[in-house]
Amino acid sequence: MAVKVTAVCLVYLLRRVSDLLRWEYKNSSFKLPWKQQTLPIFSENSPFYHTLQQPTPLTAEEEQDLKLAHKRLMSICEKSFESNVPVVIDVEDTSIQPAIDYMTYWASIKYNEPQRAILYGTIQAYLKDAGDRMALTKKAGDKMGLPLGFKFVRGDYMSSERKLAQSLGVESPIHDTIDDAHNCYNGSARYMLDQVSSGPGGIILATHNLDSEHGIMLRIGTGLEKLSSRTYAMKVASRP
């Protein structure tokens, strides 16, 4: 089941939380009293230009709204857990994605079991930090004995992300060339395919790229037959 966090939490609040999470990452002394246990959501090359100055703390009303958003997501997860139906959290642009990842990984810690991933986050491979973020999160999950699920897509919001970065005079978070994006997607897919072939976790691969499809099929056909018992879904879609 696909879920958009923007349906359970105000976009304004997701932007506020993302700003605070970015500021915390860059300033270790900055504390967020409302923050719950989660996994890494940034790497050193993640875009931070959305937050140019220290954000104000969440108001009591905003904290209450965040609690309500957690409660709504919990209701979805609990029903999905009971029904053994994985939840795939959809992706948004970088201005609010940190808050979405925060909530996704919080729910993953709460609901993923040692041998199955019920929660899947989404990674956009056209972002320069995508591979690093995925690896950091996966390693942190491994240390906790926590299986993680990822959905890989090449991405959306290319025009708006580049336009914003250009307006601020900063480097675009999008890969400089399409080949860089392809390499990030294919490399991340290979990494996770290898991971879930020998341990718990899950991967969903969504692509219209024929070269990626061919590489994925070859990898499965050369020793990863057992993959199907260790992941919930693989989606490979193609266009003529």
Side-chain angles (χ1 to χ4, degrees):
M1 179 175 66
V3 173
K4 292 183 76 70
V5 172
T6 51
V8 299
C9 185
L10 295 169
V11 173
Y12 161 78
L13 183 56
L14 291 172
R15 188 169 286 112
R16 289 272 287 126
V17 170
S18 294
D19 281 336
L20 288 161
L21 289 169
R22 277 187 286 262
W23 197 263
E24 180 200 43
Y25 180 84
K26 286 292 190 179
N27 301 271
S28 58
S29 61
F30 187 70
K31 303 301 180 184
L32 302 174
W34 45 263
K35 186 179 178 184
Q36 301 188 48
Q37 186 179 19
T38 187
L39 296 169
I41 55 179
F42 299 110
S43 73
E44 284 298 321
N45 59 338
S46 293
F48 294 95
Y49 54 77
H50 300 283
T51 310
L52 300 178
Q53 58 187 8
Q54 181 173 331
T56 58
L58 293 184
T59 65
E61 183 179 358
E62 287 171 334
E63 286 197 32
Q64 182 60 30
D65 285 341
L66 185 60
K67 289 180 181 178
L68 288 173
H70 278 96
K71 186 176 180 179
R72 293 174 188 133
L73 184 58
M74 282 176 60
S75 296
I76 294 170
C77 292
E78 286 171 2
K79 191 65 176 179
S80 298
F81 186 87
E82 293 169 4
S83 305
N84 196 29
V85 175
V87 174
V88 183
I89 304 297
D90 204 0
V91 73
E92 304 289 349
D93 65 78
T94 58
S95 69
I96 62 174
Q97 189 59 40
I100 293 170
D101 287 339
Y102 160 68
M103 294 182 69
T104 299
Y105 298 142
W106 160 80
S108 296
I109 292 171
K110 188 173 181 64
Y111 291 101
N112 285 2
E113 292 186 321
Q115 294 302 317
R116 68 167 179 165
I118 199 75
L119 264 291
Y120 285 67
T122 302
I123 301 287
Q124 298 192 102
Y126 75 171
L127 293 171
K128 293 175 181 176
D129 69 335
D132 289 343
R133 281 191 295 111
M134 184 269 295
L136 287 169
T137 304
K138 179 66 170 65
K139 289 176 182 177
D142 289 344
K143 287 183 179 180
M144 296 174 62
L146 178 70
L148 293 177
F150 294 102
K151 175 185 176 183
F152 290 125
V153 299
R154 272 175 174 74
D156 205 345
Y157 311 104
M158 182 179 292
S159 296
S160 59
E161 294 280 14
R162 284 180 169 164
K163 186 180 294 185
L164 176 60
Q166 185 177 20
S167 72
L168 295 173
V170 297
E171 181 182 347
S172 170
I174 307 297
H175 284 298
D176 296 328
T177 70
I178 192 169
D179 285 337
D180 289 338
H182 291 335
N183 290 336
C184 180
Y185 185 97
N186 295 335
S188 297
R190 286 194 299 268
Y191 173 82
M192 278 302 296
L193 283 168
D194 288 344
Q195 291 293 308
V196 300
S197 72
S198 57
I203 179 172
I204 299 173
L205 301 172
T207 180
H208 297 292
N209 184 277
L210 292 175
D211 290 336
S212 291
E213 292 182 24
H214 181 64
I216 291 164
M217 293 302 113
L218 280 178
R219 202 160 191 86
I220 293 173
T222 55
L224 290 182
E225 292 84 357
K226 58 186 177 179
L227 178 67
S228 60
S229 66
R230 295 188 179 273
T231 185
Y232 281 106
M234 172 181 289
K235 175 188 176 186
V236 181
S238 61
R239 289 175 177 164

